[in-house]
Amino acid sequence: MKFISWNIDSINAALTGTSVRAGETREVLKKIATESPDVIAIQETKLSKNGPTKKHLAVLQELFPDYEVAWRSSVEPARKGYAGTMYLYLKQYAPKVTYPKINAPEPMDDEGRIITLEFPDFFVTEVYTPNSGNGLKRLDERQVWDDCYRKYLQELDQQKPVIASGDFNVAHEEIDLAHPANNHHSAGFTDEEREHFTKLLNAGFTDSFRHLHPDEKGAYSWWAQRVITSKQNNSGWRIDYWLVSDRLADKITSAGMIDSGERRDHTPIELEIDL
């Protein structure tokens, strides 16, 4: 099976926007469509609490005619049009869709950050992990989130194998960002965030990309949008992951990034696994 995950940074802009960036984003969506994945996970949709509009759904239907849509948006008391997640999955499947709450600090559970698909023999779940923010103002809450999320994945893993993707908002090791020495106190590369990601892996999960490419340098999934030269210079971070239960690790056949051209910010990541 083939899976693709992407932090799209506003699906409304991607589907209805007229800017150059919106055009670049649609080209990436078209590229994803040509890959014919079984499941597409999308983070940071930024949709209203009512979800995709009729226009959004029409464009998605045009781009992905063979797929069903599941979505989750931020709801009160969380901020409007914030975070949010979505799945597109082939109509031939009929997974059970759940929208779990993990007892995270308020209002994180209301920010639409997790959707889970239950298939007969495995779970597929996606996450948009909270960013620790400017000045690390949300770092304490983020660490509680990490503990709650790890517990949730472990609970799934006790039932059947798990395939988890998303924007985890952490570069795990120094090899996972271009300038580690300058970022030890930056959100996404603090000791605390990295230690929690290590705990997650040690709880029974495998980083699919590093499993196949243990020593590959310069492989990133995010480049600062506001820095024009970030992608030109490959000054990036790898903060998006496909994790699998350890017992599935030997079934991974491919894991990597999909080229998003000149578009900065996140690029889609891909997993192929023999299930």
Side-chain angles (χ1 to χ4, degrees):
M1 295 182 74
K2 181 184 291 187
F3 302 92
I4 292 175
S5 182
W6 187 24
N7 178 321
I8 199 169
D9 185 27
S10 177
I11 201 161
N12 176 62
L15 300 180
T16 66
T18 58
S19 68
V20 172
R21 177 177 167 78
E24 292 173 346
T25 304
R26 277 193 293 277
E27 289 304 311
V28 178
L29 282 173
K30 292 175 183 177
K31 191 171 189 177
I32 289 173
T34 65
E35 294 276 333
S36 300
D38 294 271
V39 177
I40 304 163
I42 300 174
Q43 301 91 51
E44 201 169 4
T45 55
K46 295 183 177 178
L47 291 173
S48 77
K49 65 180 181 181
N50 297 319
T53 64
K54 290 182 179 179
K55 186 173 183 179
H56 294 150
L57 292 172
V59 178
L60 286 171
Q61 176 67 22
E62 182 179 347
L63 286 168
F64 302 99
D66 299 323
Y67 293 77
E68 297 285 357
V69 180
W71 56 271
R72 187 178 189 183
S73 293
S74 179
V75 296
E76 294 179 352
R79 287 161 49 189
K80 297 179 180 179
Y82 180 64
T85 45
M86 177 180 285
Y87 268 121
L88 301 170
Y89 55 88
L90 286 174
K91 292 179 180 178
Q92 67 194 63
Y93 301 117
K96 179 182 178 182
V97 184
T98 57
Y99 308 90
K101 292 192 174 185
I102 59 173
N103 297 315
E106 295 183 359
M108 290 176 173
D109 269 335
D110 294 308
E111 292 171 350
R113 293 184 174 277
I114 304 174
I115 306 178
T116 298
L117 306 179
E118 182 178 357
F119 291 81
D121 300 317
F122 56 90
F123 290 102
V124 177
T125 185
E126 69 171 307
V127 64
Y128 177 32
T129 302
N131 192 304
S132 293
N134 294 330
L136 303 177
K137 59 186 177 183
R138 218 178 184 187
L139 179 59
D140 289 344
E141 291 88 348
R142 160 66 184 270
Q143 292 180 77
V144 178
W145 167 279
D146 285 342
D147 287 336
C148 294
Y149 180 71
R150 182 176 69 253
K151 181 181 178 181
Y152 172 67
L153 283 197
Q154 287 179 291
E155 290 171 351
L156 292 182
D157 191 46
Q158 290 172 2
Q159 301 173 55
K160 59 184 78 172
V162 176
I163 300 169
S165 77
D167 174 1
F168 284 78
N169 261 316
V170 60
H172 185 213
E173 302 289 359
E174 291 193 352
I175 194 175
D176 294 315
L177 72 167
H179 303 291
N182 300 335
N183 285 288
H184 275 299
H185 300 290
S186 299
F189 197 60
T190 63
D191 291 342
E192 293 88 346
E193 291 162 318
R194 296 170 65 197
E195 288 168 3
H196 275 85
F197 196 78
T198 297
K199 288 180 181 179
L200 178 57
L201 296 181
N202 289 343
F205 300 95
T206 296
D207 174 352
S208 62
F209 180 80
R210 280 289 165 231
H211 180 69
L212 296 184
H213 311 278
D215 303 312
E216 184 172 338
K217 298 179 179 179
Y220 307 127
S221 66
W222 177 84
W223 300 263
Q225 181 182 338
R226 297 179 182 177
V227 181
I228 295 175
T229 59
S230 64
K231 201 164 191 181
Q232 297 170 5
N233 297 334
N234 198 26
S235 181
W237 298 49
R238 190 174 73 95
I239 58 176
D240 303 86
Y241 300 83
W242 277 106
L243 306 183
V244 303
S245 295
D246 286 345
R247 58 192 182 279
L248 293 181
D250 62 351
K251 299 182 182 295
I252 300 169
T253 57
S254 177
M257 295 68 172
I258 295 174
D259 184 6
S260 55
E262 296 182 3
R263 185 187 186 277
R264 299 185 298 279
D265 204 58
H266 294 265
T267 203
I269 57 171
E270 188 172 27
L271 170 72
E272 293 187 44
I273 186 166
D274 185 11
L275 295 171

